[in-house]
Amino acid sequence: MAASSNKDRAVSTKLVSRFFQNGDTDKVVRQDIVIYTDPTDGLIKAIMDAEDLSLMRTAAASAVASKFLAPKDSKILCLLGCGGMAKAHHTALNCIYDFKQTRVWSRTFANAQRFASEIKAEACESAEHAAKDADVIVTATWTTTPILQYQWVKPGAHINCIGAVRPNKQELSTELMQSAIVYADSKASAMAESGDVIISKAEIHGEIGDLVNGTVEAHRDKTTVFKSQCTAKIGRASCRERV
């Protein structure tokens, strides 16, 4: 993943390594680094571990989307997935809304219980229970098939869809995607790579930057989805703030 900005005089390149066969060994499965360079002379400004950077920038983008799209009086947060991405979203979203209740779900209930104890949330045995009446829902999983169904989501809720970043994967049901107003961090990336968008054939209403600029309407009164593809330009901006 690469991005550049003449205005900021910066180029960032992210190198991603995934070796899932390492899961049964003492070797790491995932390694990410970002190389940040000056485009005028090619000099490297920084080499950074990208894992924490990716968690923070992705959660921050979801927080911006939620600020514009979620109900203004949001009180219930649902986290589907209990990894580092879910934890980063819990932190970021609580900077935007004063949630009175947080529910978490994982395919393994023991993982949900462990995570719930960390963030003082309620562990749920089903995704349906976790999503019931939630104002903001985060899906941050490695699933290949939908874990969130249309009938489980209350009208007007906002969903940050973080996983399923490949064309053959879905976190949200086709019915849910087609019924919601969908936004993305990058329309081109979502249409080319997101299984949630490709399989459902959902229309993308606009990008997160359009919301901030006011060039597309924020349908806060309707069920909305922010489809995150973790675009390189957001990563470059995150790098700039760190250097």
Side-chain angles (χ1 to χ4, degrees):
M1 298 171 62
S4 64
S5 170
N6 291 330
K7 178 181 178 181
D8 296 326
R9 294 185 58 192
V11 175
S12 68
T13 304
K14 181 179 179 181
L15 305 179
V16 180
S17 172
R18 300 285 188 276
F19 281 80
F20 294 103
Q21 63 267 33
N22 289 350
D24 296 326
T25 73
D26 58 356
K27 300 176 182 178
V28 297
V29 172
R30 168 179 173 169
Q31 294 183 93
D32 300 351
I33 64 167
V34 171
I35 301 173
Y36 193 67
T37 59
D38 187 325
T40 60
D41 54 22
L43 293 180
I44 296 175
K45 293 184 174 182
I47 299 177
M48 293 176 278
D49 184 334
E51 184 169 358
D52 286 344
L53 190 69
S54 295
L55 295 178
M56 289 186 293
R57 68 95 187 268
T58 304
S62 293
V64 172
S66 300
K67 178 180 179 180
F68 283 88
L69 299 173
K72 290 184 177 180
D73 60 346
S74 292
K75 299 300 182 185
I76 301 177
L77 172 63
C78 166
L79 302 172
L80 303 183
C82 295
M85 188 63 75
K87 188 172 185 178
H89 274 74
H90 178 260
T91 300
L93 290 169
N94 272 279
C95 293
I96 305 298
Y97 294 107
D98 182 22
F99 293 106
K100 302 303 182 185
Q101 183 180 14
T102 299
R103 305 193 198 110
V104 303
W105 171 84
S106 172
R107 290 189 187 277
T108 305
F109 186 54
N111 288 342
Q113 290 177 306
R114 171 195 54 76
F115 183 51
S117 67
E118 288 181 18
I119 64 171
K120 296 181 173 60
E122 175 190 350
C124 299
E125 295 195 60
S126 71
E128 180 178 5
H129 179 197
K132 180 178 175 58
D133 295 325
D135 299 294
V136 179
I137 301 172
V138 177
T139 58
T141 71
W142 292 101
T143 189
T144 58
T145 56
I147 58 169
L148 186 62
Q149 303 296 326
Y150 165 77
Q151 59 269 28
W152 302 348
V153 178
K154 79 171 187 179
H158 171 66
I159 304 161
N160 295 301
C161 182
I162 310 304
V165 295
R166 305 309 305 162
N168 63 333
K169 297 181 178 181
Q170 283 180 282
E171 285 193 308
L172 312 187
S173 72
T174 293
E175 185 180 10
L176 177 54
M177 285 292 292
Q178 290 180 343
S179 65
I181 307 295
V182 181
Y183 301 80
D185 48 5
S186 167
K187 184 174 182 178
S189 179
M191 292 178 65
E193 299 176 354
S194 168
D196 279 302
V197 173
I198 295 169
I199 296 171
S200 70
K201 297 181 173 59
E203 180 182 352
I204 298 176
H205 186 68
E207 296 185 352
I208 186 174
D210 300 325
L211 285 172
V212 175
N213 294 332
T215 53
V216 299
E217 184 178 358
H219 291 275
R220 196 187 292 272
D221 58 326
K222 299 180 180 179
T223 301
T224 54
V225 171
F226 170 57
K227 180 58 204 146
S228 173
Q229 288 295 112
C230 306
T231 60
K233 62 184 178 182
I234 298 177
R236 177 195 52 73
S238 301
C239 291
R240 181 191 64 199
E241 295 302 317
R242 282 292 192 91
V243 174

